[in-house]
Each structure stands twice: as C-alpha cells, then as structure tokens.
Amino acid sequence: NAGVTQTPKFRILKIGQSMTLQCTQDMNHNYMYWYRQDPGMGLKLIYYSVGAGITDKGEVPNGYNVSRSTTEDFPLRLELAAPSQTSVYFCASSPLGDTTQYFGPGTRLLVL
Amino acid sequence: GQQLNQSPQSMFIQEGEDVSMNCTSSSIFNTWLWYKQDPGEGPVLLIALYKAGELTSNGRLTAQFGITRKDSFLNISASIPSDVGIYFCAGRGMTGGGADGLTFGKGTHLIIQP
C-alpha cells in the first residue's frame, strides 16, 4: 500500500536556487495539502487543493507555488529558496468530505 | 488565525504509567483529531472526534471532544515503549467546509523510561 509518497526525502539547497517537492497519492483522494513543520512546532498549511485544476492558499503560502494537473499529483515549487524555508514538508490527502488526512513521510529541506 | 494550545510540551514517564495531554482553542472547532508522529515519519491519525462530548477509544488510547467545543484531551493507559513519540492535536473550525486544512498544536513529546 503506497498511500502518499514524497520525493526527495532530503535536500540541501543554496539560497536563490529553485526546486520542486513531489507528492503522489494512489487513493484517488480529491483533497490534497502541503504543510511545513518547523522544529518544536506543529504543522502549518501552505497550500491545498480540492481537486485537479483547483488550488488555494493556506496559512503560509509566501515563497511557494503549487499546481494540480492530475488527481494523483500535487507538486510544491520553491522558486527562490531562502533560509526561512528550511523545514520539513509534509504532503497529505483526504477523501472528499472526510476530515481524516493521510500524511506522507516528509521531505527535509535545508537552505544554506 | 486559529490558535491551539497543547500541553504539556513534554512528558517523562515510567513504563506502565498513564498519560494525559490536552489541547485548548481560542475558537470553536467542529472536529478534533489526535495524531502521533514517530521520528522521521509523517503524522499518523490515532483518533477522530466529530461531536461535542464525544468520548472515543482506540485500544489503550481514549480521547474526548470537550462540551464547549474549545478543548480536547487524550489519555494513554499503561504506557509501553512504543508509545514514545510526538502527539499532536489538530482541529478544524466552523468554516471552510473541510477543504482548508487543519490547525495543529505544537505537540507533546512523550518519553518513556523503562
């Protein structure tokens, strides 16, 4: 059972570089989410999507972009990496109308 | 935005002891969720609560949705070593229709001494 998968597991970026964090789910869930988790903190919502072609901002969207061209994939794009974006990024998905969110294993990002 | 206060921040207990942690909110929630996160992993759902006053168990875990809709607690009975981890409460407010994600507490770090 794959569930929610994320790649890469770990990445080091230089300030100003760009990268895409990949997220894929095989549960046919309409809702997908991106969170970031800073040390000693809970998760904060970056962006979410209620279905293919539809995305919206969460609590902390600045510096990020997303797209949702398919139900399965929800990539997160960092265009100009900054040290403040050093964090652990979690992707999650949930069925339509269900509050249970299933999380991926996370991507650890270090920006130097 | 909505705020969740989770306490305690950390707990050091002996194996076999019972554990209690709670979350309080500055606003009303219509759903409370409790997650556990192991090192290097994503959060895993333990218990979901959907009604004020609801009391739900999952094995040795019991959680309750507060009557005021502004709090929830999680109890773990007879702790064992595999209970070690970070426990997060999460809630969904009255708006958003379920699409706008969850608000998370900062977590309770549970450490068990054998």
Side-chain angles (χ1 to χ4, degrees):
Chain A
N1 295 337
V4 179
T5 57
Q6 293 182 239
T7 58
K9 288 187 178 180
F10 179 69
R11 182 79 182 267
I12 300 175
L13 282 182
K14 294 182 179 179
I15 295 172
Q17 286 186 321
S18 62
M19 78 164 292
T20 299
L21 284 68
Q22 301 291 345
C23 175
T24 300
Q25 53 92 9
D26 63 358
M27 298 174 283
N28 202 34
H29 288 170
N30 282 319
Y31 290 61
M32 295 187 75
Y33 310 84
W34 273 106
Y35 293 89
R36 61 176 286 171
Q37 183 179 32
D38 298 325
M41 304 292 288
L43 284 71
K44 293 191 174 181
L45 185 66
I46 305 171
Y47 269 95
Y48 66 95
S49 169
V50 302
I54 306 170
T55 63
D56 209 343
K57 297 178 180 179
E59 183 182 355
V60 290
N62 291 343
Y64 308 94
N65 279 302
V66 293
S67 60
R68 185 92 182 273
S69 57
T70 67
T71 299
E72 294 79 20
D73 301 308
F74 190 38
L76 178 71
R77 178 82 177 164
L78 282 71
E79 292 294 348
L80 291 171
S84 61
Q85 293 178 305
T86 292
S87 190
V88 183
Y89 291 85
F90 289 101
C91 179
S93 72
S94 67
L96 179 63
D98 187 352
T99 59
T100 302
Q101 292 186 14
Y102 300 87
F103 285 82
T107 293
R108 280 164 175 70
L109 178 65
L110 178 61
V111 182
L112 299 174
Chain B
Q2 295 167 328
Q3 300 282 338
L4 279 185
N5 295 312
Q6 186 171 350
S7 64
Q9 191 172 24
S10 59
M11 301 182 73
F12 295 80
I13 63 168
Q14 299 285 338
E15 183 178 351
E17 288 185 17
D18 295 342
V19 173
S20 183
M21 60 191 77
N22 67 83
C23 265
T24 59
S25 169
S26 57
S27 56
I28 291 174
F29 282 98
N30 62 7
T31 302
W32 282 97
L33 305 169
W34 285 92
Y35 285 86
K36 178 175 183 261
Q37 184 178 27
D38 292 327
E41 302 289 332
V44 174
L45 183 68
L46 299 174
I47 295 179
L49 303 161
Y50 300 105
K51 296 181 182 178
E54 180 180 354
L55 184 70
T56 298
S57 293
N58 178 8
R60 294 178 294 106
L61 278 64
T62 302
Q64 185 161 27
F65 191 143
I67 291 293
T68 65
R69 292 180 172 269
K70 291 185 176 182
D71 61 347
S72 178
F73 72 75
L74 174 70
N75 286 342
I76 305 172
S77 63
S79 59
I80 60 178
S82 62
D83 290 335
V84 166
I86 303 176
Y87 292 80
F88 290 99
C89 62
R92 174 168 286 116
M94 303 296 287
T95 60
D100 54 350
L102 299 168
T103 300
F104 279 81
K106 294 183 179 181
T108 294
H109 194 175
L110 181 61
I111 298 168
I112 298 176
Q113 299 163 332

